Amino acid sequence: MEVLKNVSNCKDCAYRTWAFNNLTPEELELINNKKVEKFYRKGENIYIEGDPVHSFLYLQNGLVKLFKTESNHKEHIISIAKPKDFIGLLSIFSNQDHVYSISAVEDSIICFIDLDIIKSFIQNNGDFALDFLKKISKLSDSIIKTRVDINTRQLRGRIAYMLLFFAQNIYNAKKFNLPISRKEIADLIDMSTENVIRALSEFRKDGLIQIEGKNIVINDIERLQKIYDLG
Amino acid sequence: MEVLKNVSNCKDCAYRTWAFNNLTPEELELINNKKVEKFYRKGENIYIEGDPVHSFLYLQNGLVKLFKTESNHKEHIISIAKPKDFIGLLSIFSNQDHVYSISAVEDSIICFIDLDIIKSFIQNNGDFALDFLKKISKLSDSIIKTRVDINTRQLRGRIAYMLLFFAQNIYNAKKFNLPISRKEIADLIDMSTENVIRALSEFRKDGLIQIEGKNIVINDIERLQKIYDLG
DNA sequence: TATATATTATGATATATATCATTAATGATA
DNA sequence: TATCATTAATGATATATATCATAATATATA
């Protein structure tokens, strides 16, 4: 991790329109002064389960995963956040400590804003509060939807989901580099690593995808969508 | 469904402390005048997927389920709400229409508050906004936690989870009446109905529980907890 | 009350998935 | 570059779960 020196100005931040559009110039100046931007190399932890909650985290660049080790020792990825996403879960507003861990899946730049500042904005700026709730609730519900989508399907449907997720949701391209390992895919879709590998090989043999290591090309997005739909 | 006439006063509502504690007397009076209490018989739908979002829903009494039919025709229960719970998902603040359906699992009384009123409170009452966000985020995250808890476990662990959920979370008793059918348990934990029945029979044979129809007595809560923990 | 319908229950069998074993390929490191 | 460690790949086998079939109860409805 590295604290960035030449920090960007919040006013010019490409993501400002996301949820910070309703701040007054003074409020914007305040977070601009107080925010800290940090760079994390792929694989680094941003925080781990049990760490105290201090900040509201905002992903500027890169890709991070939210994960947890279950009591049965299985590691589980709850969600993957992409640029413009608030990172974490809403419980930062109600919990003292983080319930999940977060680490960088790709080199990432994360913007830390003191949570008390966000709270004061909610308290004092009604337009911000309402808009913020809208934005943040969308993200929270999409995590729930993802879990349901995945868990009501079996292996092939889940793999199709994951491929479509990266192609459509993250990279917006048919050709991309898988940012996570086969083991991490397994932890994301709750299947064994071997079966993830097998399903990917199967999809390749069927001509649905080309895959060489982490390099993926999606050949037949419609058929992939159908596999997902039928589950 | 039946609109109740002898409505209770919000001031005296046992659940007011939950999230409406920071309202001014005038604001409280406003929701008291505008709220509508409705009675739903077991099995009735409160709303279905696609219905427009009008109200913030608050469960006064009874038990309801939030569910969805997937594209692969599997029905899936996302969560079960108990008294004092806000019902639904946060996306009511960002979506025009409901994404999931809700129906009564037991006879229930639901309090409908116009969503615009809640939104205006968020906009105009900072203390309310902050407290409301805290409360509502806790609920949202607990749904995510539940999905993870269930989906990282296999049949017996999931059944144990479900039994502990009703015993500890809903009824606070070792003896209770299962409010949902075996099929609904299956839809909740993403397993087949037959396997749910089999696991319950197995738990009975092992002396973990007594079960006769919907009537359940938990004999060995520690062992049940262990089955859940080991997954 | 009688009849139809849904729920619960259980066994047999098929299918899906996990686990174990082994090898190859890749990446990290001295 | 050589060595070690991790990841990926594949087959064989064990285990978990779903599906199909059938019967017994329970519940709803005419």
Side-chain angles (χ1 to χ4, degrees):
Chain A
M1 189 268 289
E2 180 193 346
V3 177
L4 298 180
K5 294 276 170 64
N6 277 331
V7 290
S8 40
N9 191 310
C10 293
K11 270 182 221 152
D12 312 322
C13 176
Y15 313 128
R16 180 161 73 87
T17 49
W18 183 72
F20 299 122
N21 215 14
N22 290 281
L23 295 180
T24 65
E26 293 77 33
E27 288 169 336
L28 198 59
E29 190 55 31
L30 177 63
I31 60 168
N32 191 42
N33 292 334
K34 292 288 185 81
K35 72 157 193 310
V36 178
E37 288 168 90
K38 294 180 184 172
F39 174 82
Y40 290 86
R41 212 163 272 294
K42 177 176 178 149
E44 273 189 291
N45 283 330
I46 286 98
Y47 58 73
I48 62 166
E49 218 178 315
D51 281 356
V53 173
H54 294 306
S55 308
F56 176 85
L57 270 61
Y58 192 64
L59 184 59
Q60 270 192 21
N61 231 304
L63 218 56
V64 302
K65 66 172 177 180
L66 183 63
F67 65 102
K68 188 181 195 313
T69 306
E70 287 289 305
S71 65
N72 57 7
H73 303 293
K74 282 196 183 157
E75 195 161 299
H76 178 73
I77 297 177
I78 289 102
S79 71
I80 291 179
K82 61 173 192 243
K84 290 199 215 187
D85 280 348
F86 147 67
I87 310 175
L89 291 183
L90 293 190
S91 50
I92 58 165
F93 290 101
S94 48
N95 280 5
Q96 293 275 320
D97 301 324
H98 287 289
V99 189
Y100 300 98
S101 306
I102 292 193
S103 72
V105 156
E106 290 177 351
D107 291 356
S108 297
I109 297 174
I110 291 166
C111 188
F112 287 70
I113 304 171
D114 193 297
L115 192 59
D116 287 334
I117 294 179
I118 299 285
K119 283 183 180 171
S120 79
F121 290 168
I122 292 169
Q123 222 160 0
N124 301 316
N125 182 338
D127 289 338
F128 171 82
L130 195 55
D131 191 49
F132 184 74
L133 181 60
K134 266 188 204 172
K135 296 291 166 53
I136 217 168
S137 67
K138 209 156 206 166
L139 209 67
S140 164
D141 276 12
S142 86
I143 293 179
I144 295 174
K145 182 174 176 349
T146 297
R147 293 324 320 167
V148 173
D149 284 346
I150 288 177
N151 294 311
T152 49
R153 287 172 169 78
Q154 52 195 48
L155 181 60
R156 279 155 206 82
R158 293 182 192 192
I159 293 289
Y161 176 89
M162 181 274 301
L163 291 169
L164 291 168
F165 170 76
F166 284 114
Q168 299 178 330
N169 216 307
I170 301 286
Y171 297 114
N172 204 26
K174 290 187 176 178
K175 192 174 167 178
F176 57 89
N177 259 38
L178 254 188
I180 56 178
S181 70
R182 311 294 196 260
K183 157 99 166 57
E184 284 174 306
I185 297 174
D187 291 340
L188 178 66
I189 67 170
D190 291 325
M191 290 272 159
S192 71
T193 307
E194 292 94 327
N195 275 336
V196 167
I197 293 169
R198 255 185 275 270
L200 285 172
S201 302
E202 199 181 304
F203 280 12
R204 181 187 51 221
K205 282 170 200 156
D206 290 349
L208 280 163
I209 58 171
Q210 293 163 251
I211 181 168
E212 223 188 293
K214 307 257 184 195
N215 225 305
I216 289 202
V217 181
I218 297 197
N219 291 330
D220 194 338
I221 207 152
E222 289 79 16
R223 202 140 60 94
L224 218 49
Q225 184 72 47
K226 200 167 280 175
I227 290 173
Y228 164 73
D229 283 338
L230 299 176
Chain B
M1 189 270 285
E2 180 194 346
V3 177
L4 297 180
K5 294 276 172 61
N6 277 332
V7 289
S8 40
N9 191 310
C10 294
K11 270 181 222 152
D12 312 322
C13 177
Y15 313 127
R16 180 161 74 87
T17 49
W18 182 73
F20 298 122
N21 214 14
N22 290 282
L23 295 179
T24 65
E26 295 75 34
E27 287 169 336
L28 198 60
E29 190 55 30
L30 177 63
I31 60 167
N32 191 43
N33 292 334
K34 291 288 186 81
K35 73 156 193 311
V36 179
E37 288 168 89
K38 295 180 183 174
F39 175 82
Y40 290 87
R41 210 163 273 295
K42 179 180 176 145
E44 274 188 291
N45 283 330
I46 286 96
Y47 59 72
I48 63 166
E49 215 179 315
D51 281 356
V53 173
H54 292 305
S55 309
F56 177 85
L57 271 62
Y58 192 63
L59 184 59
Q60 271 194 19
N61 230 306
L63 218 58
V64 302
K65 67 173 178 180
L66 183 63
F67 65 101
K68 188 179 194 319
T69 306
E70 287 290 304
S71 64
N72 57 7
H73 303 293
K74 282 196 184 156
E75 195 161 298
H76 178 73
I77 297 177
I78 289 101
S79 71
I80 290 179
K82 62 174 191 243
K84 289 199 215 184
D85 279 349
F86 147 66
I87 310 174
L89 292 183
L90 292 191
S91 49
I92 59 165
F93 290 102
S94 48
N95 280 5
Q96 292 276 320
D97 302 323
H98 287 289
V99 188
Y100 301 99
S101 306
I102 292 193
S103 72
V105 156
E106 289 178 351
D107 291 356
S108 298
I109 297 174
I110 291 165
C111 189
F112 287 70
I113 304 171
D114 193 299
L115 192 59
D116 287 334
I117 294 179
I118 300 285
K119 283 183 180 173
S120 77
F121 290 169
I122 292 169
Q123 220 159 2
N124 301 314
N125 183 337
D127 289 339
F128 171 82
L130 195 55
D131 192 47
F132 184 74
L133 181 60
K134 267 188 204 173
K135 296 293 166 54
I136 219 169
S137 68
K138 210 157 208 168
L139 209 68
S140 163
D141 276 11
S142 87
I143 293 179
I144 295 174
K145 182 173 176 350
T146 297
R147 291 325 319 168
V148 173
D149 284 346
I150 288 177
N151 294 311
T152 48
R153 286 169 171 81
Q154 52 196 47
L155 182 59
R156 280 154 206 81
R158 294 183 191 192
I159 294 288
Y161 176 89
M162 183 274 301
L163 291 168
L164 292 168
F165 171 75
F166 284 114
Q168 299 179 331
N169 215 306
I170 301 286
Y171 296 115
N172 205 26
K174 289 186 177 180
K175 194 174 163 176
F176 57 87
N177 260 37
L178 253 189
I180 57 177
S181 70
R182 311 294 196 261
K183 157 97 165 58
E184 284 174 306
I185 296 174
D187 292 339
L188 179 66
I189 68 171
D190 291 324
M191 290 273 159
S192 72
T193 309
E194 292 95 325
N195 275 337
V196 167
I197 293 170
R198 255 186 275 269
L200 286 172
S201 301
E202 198 181 304
F203 280 11
R204 182 188 49 222
K205 283 169 200 156
D206 290 350
L208 280 163
I209 58 170
Q210 293 162 253
I211 181 167
E212 223 187 292
K214 307 258 183 193
N215 225 305
I216 290 203
V217 181
I218 297 197
N219 292 331
D220 193 340
I221 207 153
E222 287 80 16
R223 201 139 61 94
L224 218 48
Q225 184 73 47
K226 199 168 282 175
I227 290 174
Y228 164 74
D229 282 339
L230 299 176

